[in-house]
Amino acid sequence: MASSMLSLASASASASPSLSLHDNLKGRVKLGSVNFISCLPDKTSSSAKAKPSGRISMTVGVNVSRFEGIAMAPPDPILGVSEAFRADTNEKKLNLGVGAYRTEELQPYVLKVVKKAENLMLERGENKEYLPIEGLAAFNKATAELLLGADNPVMKEGRIATVQGLSGTGSLRLASALIERYFPGAKVLISSPTWGNHKNIFNDARVPWSEYRYYDPKTVGLDFEGMVADVKAAPEGSFILLHGCAHNPTGIDPTPEQWEKIADVIQEKNHIPFFDVAYQGFASGSLDQDAASVRLFAARGMEILVAQSYSKNLGLYAERIGAINVVCSSADAAARVKSQLKRLARPMYSNPPVHGARIVANVVGDPALFGEWKAEMELMAGRIKNVRQKLYDSLMAKDKSGKDWSFILKQIGMFSFTGLNKAQSENMTNKWHVYMTKDGRISLAGLSLAKCEYLADAIIDSYHNVS
Amino acid sequence: MSIVRRFEHVSPAPKDPITGVTEAFLADPSPNKINLGVGAYRDDEGRPVVLQCVRDAEAKIAGSEFLESVSAAVNSKMVEESCKLIYGKDSDAVMEGRFAGIQALSGTGACRLFAEFQRRFYPNSHMYFPAPTWSNHHNIWRDAQVSARNFCYYDPQSKDLNFEGLINDIKNAPEGSFFLLHPCAHNPTGVDPTEEEWREISYYLKVKNHFPFFDVAYQGFASGVMDKDARAIHIFLQDGHLVACAQSFAKNMGLYGHRVGCLSFICDDSKQAVAIKSQLQQIARAMYGSPPVHGVLLVSTILGDQAIKALWTEEIKIMADRIQGMRATLRESLEKLGSPLNWEHITSQVGMFCYSGLKAEQIDRLVREFHVYMTSDGRISMAGVTTGNVNYLANAIHEVTNSGYEESQILGESGF
C-alpha cells in the first residue's frame, strides 16, 4: 500500500467520490490499510480556497520518536547542594551553598523598603501595560545614576546607554548578544574561577571566551601578576570581564592600586572593560564605595559595558531586575547602541517585567525610602563582616598550627574561598554536615554568629586531617 | 591616552514596526488621536484594564514572601494549570503527565525558548511561518539562527484562507519540518481555519511527520470561551500529534508588563518530559535565569482558585464581546457612510485584529490627517476602538478609501 500513501500525500482535487469518516490517528500507528482520500473542490468558490469536503481515513507510518536524541541536561551544581542539604536530617547541618542573604536566624530576608514600596504600588493600583523595550524610564535613570553617580560627566553628557534587563543574567546575555553581533570573533576573558553561569551565557550567545589567572591557591589571594600577564597577552580588542566588587566565588577583590594597573593594561591593549556588578552596596555597605572600580574606569574616558543586578542588594532575586549599561564616547554612539540593544531584546522577550523595576524606581526615587535602603544594606553587609570576624577569631583561637587565616577578613562580600580542596570540601559535608561547593567556596550569607565555632572546627579538621 | 571609539560601526536600529507605532502615537499631541497599533485591550473609555480577577489574586498574594526563586511547587503548579488550560484537563497527555513545561517570558519568551531548543536539537530543520504572521516571529527565529520559510496562509484577493496553498506547502516541506500555527485569532489577519480545515491540516502534518508548534496568544479572545479557542489543539492531540505550545497570559489575563507565559511540549512519556524540561531550564538559565515571580504567582493563583478562575472566565467573555461589538459597529458605520467597498471582513475576522486591506498611502493619510495609528500592513487593533471613537474612525477610513475608489476602478485595480 506504500504507493497509495505517496499518492495520498500529493493528492489534488480529483479523487474518488465517496467519503468516509475520519478515524482518529492515535500515536504510533502501523502501516496498514488505506482507505481513500477525497478533496473535492468547493463548487461555490472560484478562488484559491478549496474547501475540504472529505474526511480522511488513513493510517500513517510511524517514525522513531522525534525526542529520541534528547538527553537529560546535567544538574545544576549549586542546586544539588541545596537539595542534599534539605535531605540531611542531622540537626547540626549548615547550608553554606546558598548565594542568597540570610538573617542571623538563618531565615530569608525581605527588605522593609521593598515591602513598603510594594504596599505603595498596591495602593496606587497601577496598570500592567507593557513597558517599552528598553524598560521603565524611571528605573533606567535611577540605575545609571546609582552606578556612576548623578553628577558624573558621563551622565551629564548623555553618554550612557541603559536598557533594563532580567537581573544580572539577562543583562549579561544582552551584552553578549551585542558583542556577538558587533564584535564578531572578539573574545571575552573571564577570571579563573568565576561565577559558573558566565560561561553558559557566553556559550549560548556564541561568544568565544578564555580565562585569565585570578585566584592563587598558595596565598588564597589574588594572582595579580598572572592576571595582568594574561590580560596583556589577549588579542587586542578583547572584552575583559571584571567583577565590580565582591568577586564571586572567591571574595577576593583587587586593591585600588591594582585596579589602576588593570585599567592601564586594558587601555594599553585596547581592550574593553566589561563589569559584572551584582553586589553594589552589599559588599562594603556603601553604594559609592562599591562602585569605585567602575567609576575609576569611567573617569579615564573609557568605553565600558556594565551589567547590574538588584537581586542581592535589594533582595529582589525572584523579580529579575537589573540593567545593561554601555558607556560610550559620545551621546550619539550611546543612542545607536541603545537602539541595537533594544533590537536584541525584542526577539528575546519583547519588553522586560515591570514589577521589580517599579520597586527599584520607588525605593530610589523617594528620599526616605532610599535612606532606609542604604541603612538596610549597611545592616546586611555589616552582618557578614561580623560573621567573618567571628569565624576568623574562632579559627585563630582553635587552630594551633600557626596557619594564617586572615584571608577571611581580607575577602569581601557574600562568598569566601576557604582554600579547601575537593576532598576537604567533601569532608566538610560528609563528616560535619556543612554544605558548600566543591571548589571550597562558602557563603557567609548562610552563616550565623552562633555557628562560627562549629564551622571553625570543621574547617580546621578538613584542612589538617584530609588531603 | 586618546579616547577609543568602538561603537562607530553600530548603526541606529530601525524602529520596531509594532512598538514604533505606539512611540509615534505617544508623541502626537492631537486630542483625536487613536492608537490601533499594539494588541493591548482597552475598555470602552479607551483605558487600559486591570482585570478584577487579577486584583483579587494580587490581594491574595500580598504579603507573601517570595524570595530567591519561585519554589518548585509553584513552578509545577503553574505549568500544570497552563497545560490543562490549553490541552484540556481531561486530555490523556495531561492526565498521564506526558508534558514538559516551563514558565517563559510571555509569548515572546516561550517562542524564543522553543527556537533555541529547535536550533540545539534539530539544527538542520526549518521553521515554517504562515504568510503573514506576527512580525516578531521572524526576528525570534532569526536571532536563534534557525532557518525560516513561509507557508501560504492569507489570500488578499478573497481576504480569506488560502487553504489549498496551505496544504500544498505542508505536503512539499521536507519531512520533519516545523510549522508555527496560530490556533485561533490569527495575528495579524484574524482569519482562522474552520474545524474541518484544521482536521485536514492536522492530517497532512502528520503524514509528513512535521512538528506542530502553536503560538497561543489569544486563547479566549476568539470566541470568548477558552475551550472553544483551543479546539484546534485538541484535534491535533486526538490525532496523536506531539505538539508544543507557547502560551501568553499577556492579553487574556491583562498581565502584559509582567511577562508571564508557558512553553510546553507533549511527549511520548514522562521520562522524556523530564529530559526535555531539563534542557529548557538550561536554555533559560543562560538567557535570564528564571522568570519573574510576581507574574507567575498571579497566574498560578488565578488558575488555581476556583472562584477567581470563574471570574476570569466571565471577564474574558466581556472583553471578547466588546471587541465583537466594535467590529459590528465599525462595519455598520462604514456601510452607513455609503462606502462602496466591501467591509465584510471586519466582522468575519476573529480576535483582536482586523486586517483592513488599507494601502500604504491610505494608512499614511490616516496618520497625518486623522491621527489614527496602525501598523503599516493595515492591521487594526480592534481593542483600541470604542463607542466614543468608532464614528471618527469610520469617517477617517471612509475619507481615505472613498477618494481613491473611482480612480482605482478606472485604472482597473482589483479593489483594495
Side-chain angles (χ1 to χ4, degrees), chain A residues 215-220 395-396 398-408 417-429 431-432 434 436 439-440 442 454-467:
Chain A
Y215 173 63
D216 184 354
K218 285 191 246 73
T219 59
V220 195
L395 284 163
M396 293 305 281
K398 288 164 184 276
D399 184 17
K400 304 302 177 197
S401 75
K403 177 174 162 69
D404 180 8
W405 295 98
S406 65
F407 60 82
I408 302 265
F417 242 36
T418 55
L420 295 175
N421 65 28
K422 185 160 180 276
Q424 293 164 339
S425 302
E426 278 166 0
N427 185 64
M428 294 287 286
T429 306
K431 184 169 172 190
W432 296 87
V434 172
M436 51 191 281
D439 53 4
I442 56 174
Y454 178 78
L455 181 60
D457 288 337
I459 291 174
I460 290 166
D461 173 61
S462 303
Y463 181 76
H464 288 296
N465 301 332
V466 177
S467 49

Side-chain angles (χ1 to χ4, degrees), chain B residues 241-262:
Chain B
H241 277 286
L242 298 179
V243 307
C245 281
Q247 284 170 280
S248 166
F249 294 102
K251 284 93 175 165
N252 58 18
M253 278 190 191
L255 294 176
Y256 308 92
H258 287 297
R259 317 314 293 136
V260 52
C262 182

Side-chain angles (χ1 to χ4, degrees), chain B residues 68-366:
Chain B
E68 287 87 52
S69 58
V70 188
S71 76
V74 173
N75 265 327
S76 307
K77 179 87 176 121
M78 196 206 121
V79 168
E80 196 186 312
E81 292 295 335
S82 303
C83 286
K84 282 189 205 162
L85 189 65
I86 191 62
Y87 300 120
K89 63 180 180 348
D90 299 326
S91 91
D92 289 339
V94 172
M95 298 212 294
E96 292 161 20
R98 286 190 289 112
F99 60 93
I102 65 171
Q103 297 97 0
L105 298 169
S106 206
T108 307
C111 283
R112 182 59 180 264
L113 287 178
F114 185 84
E116 294 284 335
F117 183 89
Q118 185 180 353
R119 187 184 68 83
R120 197 171 282 209
F121 295 104
Y122 311 91
N124 301 317
S125 66
H126 305 287
M127 175 50 102
Y128 282 77
F129 299 127
T133 191
W134 180 45
S135 54
N136 205 26
H137 282 145
H138 291 278
N139 299 332
I140 293 167
W141 268 265
R142 186 183 54 239
D143 275 22
Q145 297 189 349
V146 173
S147 147
R149 294 176 176 171
N150 291 323
F151 65 88
C152 286
Y153 192 82
Y154 180 71
D155 175 12
Q157 307 285 32
S158 62
K159 293 200 176 56
D160 207 338
L161 186 64
N162 177 357
F163 185 68
E164 193 177 297
L166 192 165
I167 294 295
N168 280 337
D169 283 349
I170 290 176
K171 289 176 185 171
N172 292 328
E175 181 162 325
S177 292
F178 288 64
F179 276 74
L180 186 147
L181 304 163
H182 304 222
C184 68
H186 180 270
N187 178 5
T189 68
V191 170
D192 289 343
T194 62
E195 182 163 323
E196 283 219 334
E197 286 166 342
W198 275 122
R199 290 188 185 282
E200 298 249 345
I201 293 168
S202 167
Y203 171 77
Y204 285 106
L205 286 171
K206 196 119 208 291
V207 167
K208 293 296 298 255
N209 199 30
H210 293 323
F211 192 135
F213 172 71
F214 287 95
D215 186 353
V216 190
Y218 297 98
Q219 188 184 6
F221 270 100
S223 67
V225 179
M226 300 305 277
D227 274 342
K228 207 162 161 219
D229 286 356
R231 191 82 191 100
I233 294 169
H234 298 168
I235 288 170
F236 274 60
L237 255 52
Q238 280 163 22
D239 287 351
H241 277 286
L242 298 179
V243 307
C245 281
Q247 284 170 280
S248 166
F249 294 102
K251 284 93 175 165
N252 58 18
M253 278 190 191
L255 294 176
Y256 308 92
H258 287 297
R259 317 314 293 136
V260 52
C262 182
L263 172 64
S264 61
F265 285 65
I266 298 295
C267 311
D268 286 311
D269 55 57
S270 53
K271 187 163 166 245
Q272 212 176 62
V274 171
I276 290 174
K277 180 175 168 169
S278 74
Q279 294 291 348
L280 294 174
Q281 283 171 326
Q282 198 170 58
I283 296 171
R285 217 171 278 139
M287 208 182 282
Y288 51 86
S290 56
V293 68
H294 197 78
V296 170
L297 284 174
L298 288 175
V299 173
S300 185
T301 305
I302 292 169
L303 294 178
D305 179 312
Q306 253 191 339
I308 300 182
K309 187 173 179 184
L311 176 57
W312 176 49
T313 312
E314 283 170 33
E315 292 188 281
I316 289 224
K317 188 85 176 52
I318 292 171
M319 291 195 285
D321 285 350
R322 192 186 90 68
I323 291 179
Q324 273 174 19
M326 286 295 101
R327 285 185 181 276
T329 308
L330 179 61
R331 177 181 165 185
E332 272 165 38
S333 306
L334 282 161
E335 286 167 355
K336 274 203 195 108
L337 285 166
S339 172
L341 301 168
N342 182 356
W343 297 104
E344 195 189 314
H345 54 285
I346 295 182
T347 48
S348 65
Q349 287 166 2
V350 173
M352 214 181 254
F353 300 111
C354 164
Y355 218 38
S356 64
L358 291 166
K359 295 200 175 108
E361 322 79 68
Q362 295 163 334
I363 295 168
D364 197 51
R365 280 191 65 196
L366 281 170

Side-chain angles (χ1 to χ4, degrees), chain B residues 30-101:
Chain B
S30 164
N32 297 322
K33 63 181 182 178
I34 307 178
N35 187 3
L36 304 177
V38 73
Y41 182 79
R42 295 284 176 269
D43 65 12
D44 202 42
E45 268 84 57
R47 289 176 313 213
V49 170
V50 178
L51 299 179
Q52 188 54 46
C53 65
V54 170
R55 294 277 184 231
D56 290 351
E58 263 185 335
K60 197 171 172 191
I61 67 175
S64 312
E65 314 213 325
F66 296 93
L67 306 156
E68 287 87 52
S69 58
V70 188
S71 76
V74 173
N75 265 327
S76 307
K77 179 87 176 121
M78 196 206 121
V79 168
E80 196 186 312
E81 292 295 335
S82 303
C83 286
K84 282 189 205 162
L85 189 65
I86 191 62
Y87 300 120
K89 63 180 180 348
D90 299 326
S91 91
D92 289 339
V94 172
M95 298 212 294
E96 292 161 20
R98 286 190 289 112
F99 60 93

Side-chain angles (χ1 to χ4, degrees), chain A residues 25-85:
Chain A
L25 310 168
K26 267 204 158 33
R28 295 161 186 259
V29 181
K30 293 190 260 294
L31 275 170
S33 62
V34 167
N35 291 348
F36 45 79
I37 180 173
S38 172
C39 199
L40 297 169
D42 180 20
K43 297 189 190 76
T44 60
S45 149
S46 56
S47 73
K49 185 180 167 78
K51 267 166 67 180
S53 50
R55 313 267 193 93
I56 296 101
S57 174
M58 168 71 179
T59 51
V60 179
V62 68
N63 295 305
V64 175
S65 165
R66 64 161 70 92
F67 299 127
E68 214 56 48
I70 296 171
M72 192 72 188
D76 182 278
I78 296 177
L79 213 67
V81 172
S82 289
E83 281 169 6
F85 172 79

Side-chain angles (χ1 to χ4, degrees), chain A residues 188-221:
Chain A
V188 176
L189 265 73
I190 63 180
S191 63
S192 170
T194 191
W195 180 45
N197 209 24
H198 278 143
K199 61 174 175 15
N200 297 331
I201 295 168
F202 298 127
N203 285 340
D204 276 21
R206 295 177 281 282
V207 172
W209 55 270
S210 67
E211 288 175 303
Y212 59 84
R213 280 169 283 174
Y214 195 80
Y215 173 63
D216 184 354
K218 285 191 246 73
T219 59
V220 195

